[in-house]
Amino acid sequence: MKILVVDDKDENRYLLEALFRGHGYDIIAAANGGEALECLQKIDISIVVSDILMPVMDGFELCRRMKADPALRSIPFVIYTATYTGIQDEEFALKIGAARFIQKPCEPDILLQAVLDVVAEQPRRVEEVIPPIREEEVLKLYNERLVRKLEQKMLQLEQEVKVRQQTEVILRRSEERYRTLFNSIRDGILVCDTDGQIVDCNPAFLTLFRCPKDVIVGVATQRLYESETAFNDFDIVRMHPTTDRDGVRISFFRRLDGTTFPAEVHVYPLTNDEGSVAGYVGIIRDITERRQAEQEQHNLQQQLMQAQKMESVGRLAGGVAHDFNNLLSIIIGYGDLVQRSLGAAHPCSQPLNHLHEASLRAVDLTRQLLAFSRKQVMEMKTVNVNEVIVNFEKLISRLLGEDIRLTLSLSNELLIVRTDTSQLEQVLMNLAVNARDAMEAGGELQLSTMSVTPESSVPDDGQDMPSCPCARIRISDTGCGMDKETLKHIFEPFFTTKAENKGTGLGLATTYGIIRQHGGVIRVSSVKGQGTTVDVYLPLTDAEVTTAHPIVDAPVSRTEAVTILLVEDEVPLRALLRQILENGGFSVIESESPQDAIEQAGAFERPLALVLTDVVMPGMKGPDVFARVRVHHPEARVLFMSGYSEETILHQVGMQDGFSYIQKPFTAHQLINRCERVLLSAIG
């Protein structure tokens, strides 16, 4: 059986062909009524299955012509339509000779069975006499069907136009919202195709890259990256785009003017209706300011850590120096006693001299540690910085040697500061020695002074500048310089870059401690191979320059023995101090603890002239001991002793200014002389 399928839609013909061929029937296909008539003239067709609405000739007209042709009239005609689906359409189709009127879509089995039924009924239908239909009636019915269908189509088109217009309004508003959002985002946004060519961008992107839109559109995205490596990273992101924040990458970009900047980049794929990637959207956020803030925060953190480390090392150095001072007091004291008892002619006199000299060098070492920890005693005076430098110039010149030229450039202003002159000279000495050692082949050392304001001298190393104007002492050399790593450690005790046995590593540590104890700041800048510059800032003062008066260290005569209450918790040192005091003509009450001293003072009925007490002891501090002793002996005076400095005692122990104090270690002569002076001030 051969079936002629007539339909202008390729997909409809394909489905019908697949259905009928699948059941073993031959299929002839035509795209309209005209093609179908040509096929009917050439091929014997068993049945025609036709759509209605087609170009050239529709299904109604095809059916009329076949039924009007005696040669084709017997071929059954089945209408299969989705357009003409009304009852009147079906009545018209049957009236002009169609055997069946089937609406799309239809189940394949039902359609196949209907076709088979029509073929089976055809012999009987041929014998039936089909009443003739007048042409006018056919045309009238056909026109009615056509007009009604056109009206329906017009209504449908109008509805579609209305829906389309509404859709266009919605799309236009959506586009406006998108464009407003696109243009208002502060991050740079670019849209590129799959070849990496920029097709669109927002104003923030143009501002970020400093270029007009007509210049940037069409440019390859590779042009935006600082380097090929950065672009290759982008290619990885483009090949594996993400939709979450984990896809953010840091890259460097180059503007068209050549400047570069770091940015966060997030890439999203653009897909078409088929789901294929049609391009990419890139979001670029400039992180220059954030990186600067992070770097500043990192620098501040490093400065804080360095300051904390220096403070910790300073406390450690001060504690070690304090304990070492107690030991040195015993060594020096007993050495003096033994040396005096043996006399200069004794064979052991020379070794004892060496012992005494070594002890004094140890004292200098502890003083340097205390200077670093800012816990040494200083004799503050008001001096002109320029005068100190001029008076010290000859010594520095001799220290530098003939191959190093010393140049002074001193300010004409009066640079008056409060300082311990000997300590300031030690600072100059330490810095000059370091400069000399850095210029082994000779060079030039420049020493200059000037006044600066806090605004013009803000340090970048985390040190707090004084809030008042300062005198700046600058020491510059043309030596070998230092790298950044070395600069981080120069103020640490025992850190040195010198060869073994050529430095203790305490020079700059001592200098740092002295300047900080003066309330000043020291800054060092250096470049490897280009020399080093050290700036020392000391607060200026309006006070008058201190006039030096000679101090006569003469013993004070006593007409009668006086009693001293000795309070010291370390047994060896207490025994030594008792022996020194008794050798000096004093009567001594020895106390091993603060409580023992208070009890002995209460039991002692004669006058008590002096209390010699350590400051820091277990259970009670020296000032508290003296206060309890004075309850029993209000006539008593006090002399405090400690391995800590006077300034530290004031702040840590809470004592009032104006007390008498002697710092360990001291010689027997120094202790006796100091006790007599305290007693003399009581008499005065």
Side-chain angles (χ1 to χ4, degrees):
M1 183 172 64
K2 293 183 179 180
I3 302 174
L4 175 61
V5 175
V6 187
D7 199 308
D8 61 326
K9 299 291 181 64
D10 294 339
E11 58 271 21
N12 292 341
R13 293 197 305 271
Y14 175 79
L15 291 174
L16 292 176
E17 289 178 15
L19 173 64
F20 295 134
R21 280 203 177 100
H23 286 79
Y25 303 115
D26 294 334
I27 302 300
I28 307 299
N32 54 64
E35 290 184 8
L37 285 177
E38 292 180 2
C39 292
L40 289 167
Q41 299 294 333
K42 300 176 182 178
I43 304 172
D44 291 333
I45 300 298
S46 302
I47 187 171
V48 176
V49 179
S50 175
D51 191 16
I52 294 177
L53 188 62
M54 296 178 293
V56 182
M57 182 185 296
D58 62 17
F60 285 147
E61 182 64 19
L62 174 61
C63 182
R64 286 181 62 247
R65 292 195 182 189
M66 285 179 60
K67 297 307 176 182
D69 188 340
L72 303 177
R73 181 184 302 170
S74 61
I75 300 174
F77 196 97
V78 176
I79 288 182
Y80 187 48
T81 180
T83 305
Y84 293 84
T85 58
I87 296 177
Q88 294 176 339
D89 297 328
E90 183 177 357
E91 291 177 350
F92 178 73
L94 297 176
K95 185 173 289 189
I96 62 175
R100 289 286 191 278
F101 186 91
I102 304 173
Q103 294 184 20
K104 298 177 182 178
C106 178
E107 291 295 331
D109 293 341
I110 296 176
L111 176 60
L112 180 61
Q113 187 61 46
V115 170
L116 295 176
D117 291 345
V118 169
V119 173
E121 296 170 356
Q122 184 59 21
R124 179 174 54 82
R125 290 179 60 86
V126 171
E127 295 176 356
E128 295 178 355
V129 178
I130 301 174
I133 305 175
R134 292 182 302 169
E135 186 69 19
E136 294 81 2
E137 184 181 357
V138 172
L139 292 176
K140 179 182 177 182
L141 292 173
Y142 182 75
N143 289 335
E144 288 176 355
R145 302 281 74 72
L146 183 60
V147 169
R148 188 174 64 84
K149 189 54 63 180
L150 289 175
E151 289 175 349
Q152 293 176 351
K153 198 65 177 178
M154 288 296 296
L155 291 174
Q156 181 181 354
L157 290 175
E158 289 176 0
Q159 186 65 27
E160 290 178 357
V161 169
K162 184 177 179 181
V163 172
R164 182 174 180 179
Q165 289 175 343
Q166 293 174 346
T167 303
E168 289 177 350
V169 171
I170 294 173
L171 288 175
R172 185 169 62 253
R173 291 176 180 174
S174 177
E175 171 66 18
E176 290 173 354
R177 287 195 297 269
Y178 157 75
R179 184 58 58 178
T180 300
L181 179 63
F182 185 73
N183 291 336
S184 62
I185 293 177
R186 298 176 62 182
D187 294 333
I189 302 178
L190 67 87
V191 181
C192 66
D193 57 23
T194 54
D195 295 328
Q197 303 293 320
I198 298 174
V199 297
D200 197 6
C201 61
N202 68 341
F205 180 89
L206 301 176
T207 302
L208 185 60
F209 282 87
R210 302 172 186 171
C211 62
K213 190 169 185 176
D214 57 347
V215 173
I216 200 67
V217 171
V219 173
T221 52
Q222 184 175 5
R223 171 67 180 79
L224 305 179
Y225 286 83
E226 180 191 32
S227 63
E228 185 175 351
T229 302
F231 175 72
N232 291 336
D233 288 342
F234 166 76
D235 249 3
I236 295 174
V237 177
R238 191 175 64 173
M239 296 303 295
H240 304 282
T242 59
T243 56
D244 55 22
R245 185 167 177 79
D246 293 339
V248 175
R249 289 174 177 257
I250 305 297
S251 188
F252 282 86
F253 292 88
R254 185 183 302 279
R255 300 183 178 92
L256 297 186
D257 61 6
T259 58
T260 61
F261 64 94
E264 286 182 347
V265 186
H266 202 163
V267 179
Y268 299 89
L270 287 176
T271 56
N272 53 26
D273 295 338
E274 289 74 29
S276 302
V277 175
Y280 300 92
V281 174
I283 300 177
I284 302 175
R285 174 173 295 177
D286 187 354
I287 59 172
T288 302
E289 294 183 358
R290 191 176 79 187
R291 282 209 161 187
Q292 291 173 349
E294 290 173 350
Q295 185 61 43
E296 290 177 3
Q297 183 179 7
H298 175 74
N299 293 340
L300 290 174
Q301 184 69 24
Q302 293 297 317
Q303 293 167 7
L304 175 61
M305 293 175 61
Q306 180 68 11
Q308 290 174 338
K309 182 173 70 173
M310 296 296 288
E311 187 66 25
S312 299
V313 174
R315 286 196 296 269
L316 175 63
V320 171
H322 168 263
D323 295 340
F324 197 41
N325 276 339
N326 284 337
L327 298 176
L328 286 176
S329 297
I330 298 173
I331 296 172
I332 293 174
Y334 277 116
D336 285 346
L337 292 177
V338 172
Q339 194 170 21
R340 290 184 181 183
S341 64
L342 295 179
H346 195 278
C348 293
S349 177
Q350 189 63 29
L352 287 173
N353 286 333
H354 293 321
L355 176 65
H356 183 72
E357 292 174 359
S359 299
L360 293 181
R361 287 197 297 271
V363 171
D364 290 336
L365 181 62
T366 59
R367 284 177 178 172
Q368 291 185 34
L369 288 173
L370 287 171
F372 170 74
S373 62
R374 291 172 276 169
K375 293 180 179 178
Q376 67 172 335
V377 179
M378 296 192 302
E379 297 181 5
M380 303 298 289
K381 298 178 182 178
T382 305
V383 299
N384 186 343
V385 170
N386 291 335
E387 291 183 0
V388 175
I389 294 175
V390 170
N391 294 335
F392 207 59
E393 178 184 3
K394 291 183 180 180
L395 178 59
I396 294 178
S397 298
R398 289 196 297 270
L399 180 70
L400 295 176
E402 297 181 354
D403 56 344
I404 297 177
R405 182 163 59 93
L406 175 64
T407 303
L408 298 186
S409 178
L410 306 182
S411 172
N412 295 326
E413 302 177 77
L414 281 176
L415 304 179
I416 309 301
V417 299
R418 287 274 298 167
T419 182
D420 183 324
T421 304
S422 62
Q423 297 294 340
L424 182 56
E425 290 175 346
Q426 182 180 351
V427 168
L428 297 175
M429 177 74 72
N430 291 343
L431 297 178
V433 168
N434 284 342
R436 180 200 63 188
D437 294 343
M439 296 184 287
E440 295 181 352
E444 181 180 1
L445 179 67
Q446 297 180 345
L447 203 160
S448 63
T449 61
M450 66 178 296
S451 64
V452 296
T453 60
E455 294 78 12
S456 63
S457 55
V458 178
D460 57 0
D461 53 4
Q463 301 185 68
D464 296 329
M465 283 292 297
S467 58
C468 59
C470 294
R472 188 193 72 186
I473 305 173
R474 171 168 289 180
I475 300 96
S476 299
D477 65 60
T478 58
C480 59
M482 295 174 285
D483 56 30
K484 292 182 179 180
E485 186 62 28
T486 302
L487 280 174
K488 295 179 181 178
H489 306 283
I490 56 174
F491 294 130
E492 297 176 6
F494 307 111
F495 176 81
T496 180
T497 58
K498 299 177 183 179
E500 189 176 358
N501 299 325
K502 287 192 176 182
T504 63
L506 285 173
L508 283 177
T510 301
T511 299
Y512 175 85
I514 291 173
I515 298 304
R516 296 300 286 174
Q517 195 170 4
H518 278 75
V521 169
I522 180 170
R523 298 173 60 189
V524 180
S525 59
S526 183
V527 177
K528 190 73 173 178
Q530 298 183 20
T532 301
T533 297
V534 181
D535 288 332
V536 174
Y537 298 88
L538 296 175
L540 291 172
T541 180
D542 296 330
E544 296 183 357
V545 176
T546 304
T547 303
H549 298 285
I551 299 176
V552 179
D553 188 13
V556 180
S557 60
R558 298 188 306 277
T559 56
E560 59 181 11
V562 296
T563 302
I564 295 178
L565 175 62
L566 172 62
V567 189
E568 170 61 56
D569 57 316
E570 290 197 17
V571 177
L573 182 57
R574 186 172 67 247
L576 169 64
L577 295 177
R578 176 168 189 164
Q579 186 173 352
I580 292 175
L581 293 173
E582 289 178 344
N583 290 347
F586 294 102
S587 176
V588 180
I589 302 175
E590 183 179 346
S591 299
E592 62 182 10
S593 67
Q595 189 60 39
D596 180 46
I598 296 170
E599 293 175 356
Q600 291 201 60
F604 188 67
E605 298 180 352
R606 296 197 306 272
L608 184 62
L610 181 66
V611 177
L612 177 62
T613 176
D614 195 6
V615 176
V616 180
M617 295 177 292
M620 192 179 301
K621 295 183 175 64
D624 298 329
V625 175
F626 178 61
R628 299 281 293 275
V629 169
R630 290 202 72 180
V631 174
H632 306 289
H633 294 278
E635 76 282 359
R637 306 288 288 179
V638 66
L639 175 60
F640 294 107
M641 55 183 175
S642 177
Y644 293 113
S645 69
E646 180 177 342
E647 179 185 6
T648 303
I649 298 304
L650 277 171
H651 287 85
Q652 294 187 0
V653 182
M655 294 168 45
Q656 300 297 320
D657 198 1
F659 63 88
S660 298
Y661 172 83
I662 184 170
Q663 185 178 14
K664 302 174 184 176
F666 42 74
T667 63
H669 175 72
Q670 290 172 336
L671 176 60
I672 296 299
N673 186 268
R674 189 69 174 128
C675 290
E676 290 177 339
R677 288 188 173 281
V678 174
L679 294 173
L680 181 62
S681 64
I683 297 174

